[in-house]
Amino acid sequence: MQKIPTKYIFVTGGVASSLGKGIIAASLGKLLMARGFNVTIQKLDPYINIDPGTMNPYEHGECYVTSDGAETDLDLGHYERFLGNSTSQANNVTTGSIYQTVINKERKGDYLGKTVQIIPHITDEIKRRIKLLGDTNKFDFVITEIGGTVGDIESLPYIEAVRQLKWELEKSTLFIHLTLVPFLSAAGELKTKPTQHSVKTLLESGIQPDILVCRTEHKLNEHIKRKIALFCNVEKEAVIESLDAETIYEVPLLMQKENLDKVVLRKLKIKDETEVNLDKWKDFLFKLNNPKKSITIALVGKYIKLKDSYKSIVESFIHAGTEKNCEVKIKWISAEDLIEGKTINDQLANIHGLLVAPGFGDRGIEGKIQAIKYVRENDIPFLGICLGMQCAVIEFARNVLDMKDANSTEMNKKTDFPVIDIMHNQKEITNKGGTMRLGSYSCQLTKDSNAFKAYNTNSINERHRHRYEFNNSYLNKFEEGGMLATGNNKENNLVEIIEISSHKWFVGVQFHPEYSSTVLKPSPLFSSFIDACINNNK
Ligand code: GLN
């Protein structure tokens, strides 16, 4: 494959939010990778938080964690799941982090007496962050998704920065603008005016998009495409229809049909005759759409009103379920309702497995513990992730080992049995942002455990996001009682996995297997959990 100088593709959005810029960026990335190019995708977020790590999931959905320990936007999860390659700290930039860098430099005196301003200082920092990825020389394409909608006050510095980059790098840049073409049922027509207006807004900032991706509920006919092309000053072939899809995983194929990758390459003057082979992706999609069996897994969490709060878990179920030809129906259960509402038995009746989600703080914790007690006693497969694992430890201490008020010191500092306790190196930390144990760490697995059977290897690496840990001073008592530590981090002597050996499949993990599951490489732990749930359904 020819080595080309890095090309920068910018994806902006207009008309409305939530049109799926992240999925379009990921789909284009997938198509370019299928041609043998190296691609990475970056997200620029216009909010002032340094990262989404301090935000409530109801504000921003799931906080996705990269292997190098960055707390990032959930779109990075889509990039990894589609492309199958890792992102890093550099792949998510926020206005907060840009200003932090500029202000720190100002305090150091780096600006030599100058007035520090949005242009050029903030825009220069934005450009530096975009070029950082290209400067690694690892990528043929850096796709940069600009969060928000054009015209937003918050995104203006980003738009100005990428305008300047286009001016500086001219032939190495390309602009894709994603818009909405709404259907007015009263008129029985698709309307192009919102698209025209949003392109005008971009033009006011000095950017002429090269390609328009038009989100629509109905097919765009030739007439509509020509009209959009004419009024928005783009080629007709560069007006790409993006029909609503049944699943996000269909979008790469829809974009391929619309020749998005070919138009991108032609506009960037890159000759490439590769036959794009998406057979594995198509197999996945076929299996996803034609499951042979179905199971129901209860997901108990605190933020279930917004499904995006548990995005990576939901997608992991889709990847692993599809691998097993099985539709995974999720029964969403609010941890708080498990106490106040219907009885546990009613709510957990007819489930084939239980997943207790990660989380922070004491709200809902008793409900999670009750749910775990139910599946432990009824031999129903269980997967506990992070706080879910910690709740399983608390439940076992209270109800099997007779430690009546056992708890995590996160929930009750004065508990007589602090079976989950703050990690030693977290004790002095007062700042909340970016200070947890974050990113990928190794874990040694015990032979013959369910975890070992799942991963089929002695040593794994998975991502973390926590401050509390299993309190090792109780380990002997737990192991004598039948809850075993089957995964350990040797460097920090940290329990990473607990299992109940007498149970059908009861696994709690301190790490987050959901962050590393991809379409073509499902998480082995999710696959194994689903197998156990399928067997439980027989
Ligand atoms: N709150 C727990 C801790 O900090 C669990 C965190 C999580 O579930 N991600 O250890």
Side-chain angles (χ1 to χ4, degrees):
M1 159 119 300
Q2 48 169 341
K3 176 79 190 126
I4 54 165
T6 305
K7 307 288 181 198
Y8 295 89
I9 300 176
F10 300 104
V11 181
T12 54
V15 183
S17 58
S18 307
L19 294 182
K21 285 194 296 281
I23 301 298
I24 293 296
S27 300
L28 173 60
K30 177 78 204 165
L31 293 175
L32 292 171
M33 276 184 82
R35 290 174 175 274
F37 293 109
N38 291 321
V39 183
T40 192
I41 313 180
Q42 175 188 47
K43 171 101 190 256
L44 306 183
D45 270 317
Y47 48 74
I48 311 284
N49 302 61
I50 304 292
D51 60 47
T54 52
M55 282 190 226
N56 183 311
Y58 278 158
E59 290 283 314
H60 193 261
E62 167 189 274
C63 169
Y64 184 77
V65 180
T66 59
S67 27
D68 70 345
E71 296 177 284
T72 70
D73 184 76
L74 58 75
D75 268 327
L76 271 79
H78 289 310
Y79 308 159
E80 290 205 10
R81 291 187 279 271
F82 275 57
L83 269 49
N85 62 11
S86 278
T87 54
S88 69
Q89 188 86 58
N91 292 69
N92 197 187
V93 173
T94 68
T95 296
S97 72
I98 296 284
Y99 272 80
Q100 190 180 48
T101 305
V102 171
I103 290 169
N104 287 344
K105 274 169 89 178
E106 186 276 332
R107 291 289 81 185
K108 278 195 348 217
D110 286 359
Y111 293 112
L112 303 175
K114 290 269 179 233
T115 309
V116 180
Q117 292 177 300
I118 293 186
I119 304 169
H121 303 102
I122 295 295
T123 45
D124 278 355
E125 179 58 19
I126 296 173
K127 289 192 287 181
R128 191 184 71 83
R129 299 287 188 98
I130 294 170
K131 286 201 276 188
L132 263 186
L133 286 167
D135 290 346
T136 60
N137 279 328
K138 284 201 293 207
F139 304 109
D140 303 308
F141 292 93
V142 175
I143 302 177
T144 300
E145 176 193 346
I146 300 174
T149 309
V150 292
D152 291 352
I153 292 174
E154 285 94 340
S155 354
L156 283 175
Y158 290 113
I159 300 287
E160 169 57 16
V162 295
R163 182 198 68 76
Q164 292 180 15
L165 267 185
K166 184 179 170 70
W167 182 77
E168 285 166 29
L169 301 170
E170 186 57 41
K171 295 194 173 60
S172 296
T173 59
L174 184 95
F175 281 82
I176 300 179
H177 187 55
L178 176 61
T179 76
L180 177 70
V181 179
F183 181 76
L184 282 196
S185 43
E189 269 183 344
L190 287 165
K191 290 293 180 189
T192 65
K193 197 71 84 189
T195 297
Q196 295 177 38
H197 280 299
S198 95
V199 170
K200 271 207 185 99
T201 308
L202 255 189
L203 281 169
E204 277 166 19
S205 303
I207 292 171
Q208 164 66 54
D210 301 289
I211 297 174
L212 294 176
V213 175
C214 304
R215 190 65 197 272
T216 172
E217 278 175 61
H218 298 273
K219 286 196 79 57
L220 304 182
N221 59 31
E222 287 302 295
H223 166 73
I224 294 265
K225 280 194 173 181
R226 202 169 312 117
K227 188 170 170 187
I228 293 174
L230 175 67
F231 285 110
C232 299
N233 210 14
V234 296
E235 267 182 84
K236 194 176 114 276
E237 286 64 37
V239 178
I240 305 285
E241 163 193 288
S242 172
L243 267 178
D244 288 357
E246 284 287 309
T247 137
I248 54 170
Y249 297 117
E250 220 178 284
V251 180
L253 302 176
L254 295 177
M255 290 301 106
Q256 187 190 25
K257 252 198 219 141
E258 282 286 299
N259 293 323
L260 176 61
D261 53 334
K262 286 191 181 149
V263 178
V264 164
L265 292 174
R266 180 164 54 75
K267 292 209 166 277
L268 286 167
K269 304 208 168 17
I270 299 168
K271 278 208 170 50
D272 181 64
E273 307 295 332
T274 314
E275 269 304 308
V276 174
N277 182 342
L278 292 175
D279 285 354
K280 283 192 186 145
W281 195 273
K282 286 180 188 160
D283 284 351
F284 165 83
L285 206 57
F286 179 81
K287 283 170 82 175
L288 173 66
N289 292 330
N290 299 280
K292 295 199 169 73
K293 38 197 176 251
S294 170
I295 52 170
T296 302
I297 295 181
L299 192 160
V300 176
K302 200 162 80 171
Y303 306 104
I304 58 146
K305 283 198 197 94
L306 179 72
K307 307 290 183 262
D308 272 1
S309 306
Y310 302 109
K311 192 78 196 157
S312 294
I313 293 177
V314 173
E315 300 307 317
S316 298
F317 276 138
I318 294 176
H319 307 154
T322 303
E323 181 191 44
K324 303 284 173 193
N325 291 305
C326 180
E327 174 194 21
V328 179
K329 292 189 182 139
I330 298 178
K331 182 169 183 183
W332 297 89
I333 299 179
S334 158
E336 287 161 280
D337 291 351
L338 276 176
I339 300 294
E340 293 152 15
K342 285 191 264 173
T343 65
I344 301 280
N345 295 26
D346 279 353
Q347 293 207 54
L348 297 184
N350 304 321
I351 60 159
H352 306 113
L354 168 73
L355 186 145
V356 175
F360 296 85
D362 63 352
R363 201 158 45 80
I365 183 118
E366 295 303 325
K368 290 182 174 178
I369 292 169
Q370 297 290 336
I372 294 168
K373 178 168 187 281
Y374 178 89
V375 296
R376 181 179 55 75
E377 290 176 347
N378 290 287
D379 209 20
I380 296 170
F382 165 75
L383 176 59
I385 300 182
C386 208
L387 182 62
M389 170 262 198
Q390 297 177 354
C391 287
V393 169
I394 298 169
E395 192 280 321
F396 198 81
R398 287 186 191 172
N399 300 321
V400 179
L401 303 179
D402 216 22
M403 302 177 186
K404 281 300 168 241
D405 81 333
N407 216 328
S408 160
T409 50
E410 180 182 4
M411 320 303 163
N412 176 6
K413 293 220 169 0
K414 298 201 178 105
T415 171
D416 288 338
F417 304 103
V419 288
I420 303 290
D421 200 6
I422 187 127
M423 279 183 278
H424 185 67
N425 54 8
Q426 288 280 332
K427 285 190 176 143
E428 307 301 320
I429 292 174
T430 49
N431 268 2
K432 290 269 184 279
T435 56
M436 282 186 250
R437 179 176 182 243
L438 290 165
S440 188
Y441 287 91
S442 71
C443 168
Q444 310 302 314
L445 305 178
T446 309
K447 269 235 152 61
D448 297 328
S449 60
N450 276 322
F452 182 90
K453 285 180 201 147
Y455 287 97
N456 197 22
T457 176
N458 293 320
S459 175
I460 56 166
N461 284 287
E462 291 280 16
R463 304 178 202 183
H464 297 70
R465 183 172 186 244
H466 64 117
R467 288 186 208 284
Y468 293 80
E469 63 173 327
F470 183 91
N471 184 343
N472 274 319
S473 49
Y474 290 95
L475 186 55
N476 283 343
K477 282 215 170 68
F478 274 81
E479 300 220 301
E480 279 161 20
M483 180 175 270
L484 312 178
T486 58
N488 292 277
N489 174 275
K490 297 279 182 235
E491 291 82 47
N492 302 311
N493 191 24
L494 195 94
V495 173
E496 296 277 14
I497 307 177
I498 54 92
E499 296 188 27
I500 298 177
S501 47
S502 59
H503 190 281
K504 200 178 278 163
W505 204 93
F506 190 104
V507 180
V509 289
Q510 187 56 80
F511 51 79
H512 292 259
E514 72 275 22
Y515 292 143
S516 48
S517 173
T518 71
V519 170
L520 300 180
K521 224 165 157 234
S523 156
L525 202 61
F526 272 81
S527 298
S528 217
F529 176 44
I530 286 174
D531 264 341
C533 298
I534 293 171
N535 289 332
N536 191 35
N537 191 19
K538 280 182 185 153

